[in-house]
Amino acid sequence: MHRRRAWVEGFLDLAKLETSAIKTERVDVARLVRALVVDNELLIQSRPIVLRTELGGRLPYVLAESAKLRVILQNLLTNALKFTERGEVVVSTDVPRADAVRVHVRDTGPGIPANA
């Protein structure tokens, strides 16, 4: 029952974001990633998991809806932490072009089976 409630709450959060007016702003992705990692470190204190960042140099600001970007990155991070029993979760960034930042979430969890 707990999983269903969490799923419904997540869906409602996304629905609220979808119905709101589009409001883009300059987002400091490095700052956002660091804040999410700090927030999530508390959740894994008693687990044999290392959560860390690899932020590549000085990242440009990006034009985005910061609330939606935060939800997306938090969902990726939550998923990685949920399925990683031991090892590490790494949030890294790179700059594929001057006006974009790419965020990677890498973990040592079991992954998705090839036949799924």
Side-chain angles (χ1 to χ4, degrees):
M1 190 63 152
H2 179 68
R3 279 182 167 167
R4 183 178 291 156
R5 183 175 18 165
W7 182 84
V8 169
E9 288 172 1
F11 180 77
L12 291 174
D13 288 344
L14 286 174
K16 281 187 230 171
L17 288 173
E18 287 295 324
T19 59
S20 62
I22 295 174
K23 186 174 156 185
T24 59
E25 58 191 293
R26 287 172 33 107
V27 178
D28 182 342
V29 177
R31 181 182 222 169
L32 175 58
V33 166
R34 282 190 206 100
L36 287 171
V37 166
V38 167
D39 291 348
N40 283 276
E41 282 177 334
L42 294 173
L43 301 174
I44 61 165
Q45 280 183 338
S46 63
R47 296 172 59 195
I49 299 174
V50 174
L51 175 57
R52 63 186 177 89
T53 60
E54 292 177 354
L55 304 178
R58 187 157 172 86
L59 301 175
Y61 282 73
V62 296
L63 189 59
E65 292 184 67
S66 64
K68 284 185 181 181
L69 183 57
R70 183 177 193 78
V71 168
I72 291 166
L73 293 177
Q74 178 61 56
N75 286 344
L76 291 170
L77 190 52
T78 299
N79 190 58
L81 292 170
K82 178 179 176 180
F83 292 103
T84 301
E85 292 182 16
R86 63 180 54 252
E88 70 177 359
V89 174
V90 181
V91 183
S92 62
T93 58
D94 68 16
V95 181
R97 53 178 213 257
D99 63 343
V101 174
R102 185 170 25 212
V103 179
H104 306 265
V105 178
R106 184 175 72 243
D107 63 68
T108 56
I112 300 170
N115 61 354

